[in-house]
Amino acid sequence: MNIARKEAKDIIDTYFSQYARVKAYMDESITSAKKTGYSETYFGRRRYLADINSRNGTIRANAERNAINSPIQGTAADIIKLAMIAIHKEMAAKKLKSRMVLQVHDELVFDVHKPELETVEELVRRNMLGVVDMEVPMEVEVGTGHTWLAAH
């Protein structure tokens, strides 16, 4: 950002004072991983962090970042996988010609038979929203186009 270290530290300190629960989550994630040797997603899938107690600060810091990030990214990955399974099952049960063709992070790409467009949009939205009930509401956006880029 091309700013002085003190200014960067002040920005970070201000952020954490305003969002104290974020800092607490980060600290709790690291403490738990140091004790257990792994981080865990909402669904219980584990990522083992062999270097979480390393004496090498650089190596340990990388494992600590993973301890913070893995539960969030891992849970998102779990949710999209569960949604894909539910969507595939329903599309197969309805004998749709449309197909799920690609997953990119938190996006699903479909090759949709034009007469099925509304059915597929509703089915995808409902399954993605309904796959898990969490305290924080999820949002689903559906875009269409002849290419993935056009759908955005």
Side-chain angles (χ1 to χ4, degrees), residues 58-71:
T58 302
I59 292 171
R60 185 181 59 253
N62 186 50
E64 289 174 352
R65 281 189 296 278
N66 285 326
I68 295 165
N69 195 40
S70 291

Side-chain angles (χ1 to χ4, degrees), residues 83-134:
M84 290 170 69
I85 292 166
I87 290 165
H88 174 75
K89 284 181 180 177
E90 188 170 344
M91 289 177 76
K94 292 182 185 259
K95 296 184 178 5
L96 298 178
K97 291 181 182 178
S98 301
R99 296 288 175 253
M100 183 173 6
V101 295
L102 185 66
Q103 175 211 349
V104 181
H105 302 293
D106 62 347
E107 293 186 44
L108 299 177
V109 180
F110 296 83
D111 184 9
V112 178
H113 187 63
K114 207 166 199 151
E116 298 174 350
L117 181 60
E118 284 185 29
T119 300
V120 172
E121 282 184 356
E122 186 278 327
L123 180 154
V124 168
R125 186 181 310 277
R126 180 173 31 79
N127 278 285
M128 289 188 80
L129 286 172
V131 74
V132 64
D133 185 26
M134 300 184 88

Side-chain angles (χ1 to χ4, degrees), residues 34 40 55 75 103 151:
K34 285 184 177 197
E40 202 168 37
R55 284 189 261 160
T75 298
Q103 175 211 349

Side-chain angles (χ1 to χ4, degrees), residues 130-151:
V131 74
V132 64
D133 185 26
M134 300 184 88
E135 289 180 40
V136 178
M138 287 194 285
E139 294 182 12
V140 174
E141 294 178 9
V142 176
T144 61
H146 291 289
T147 66
W148 185 35
L149 182 61

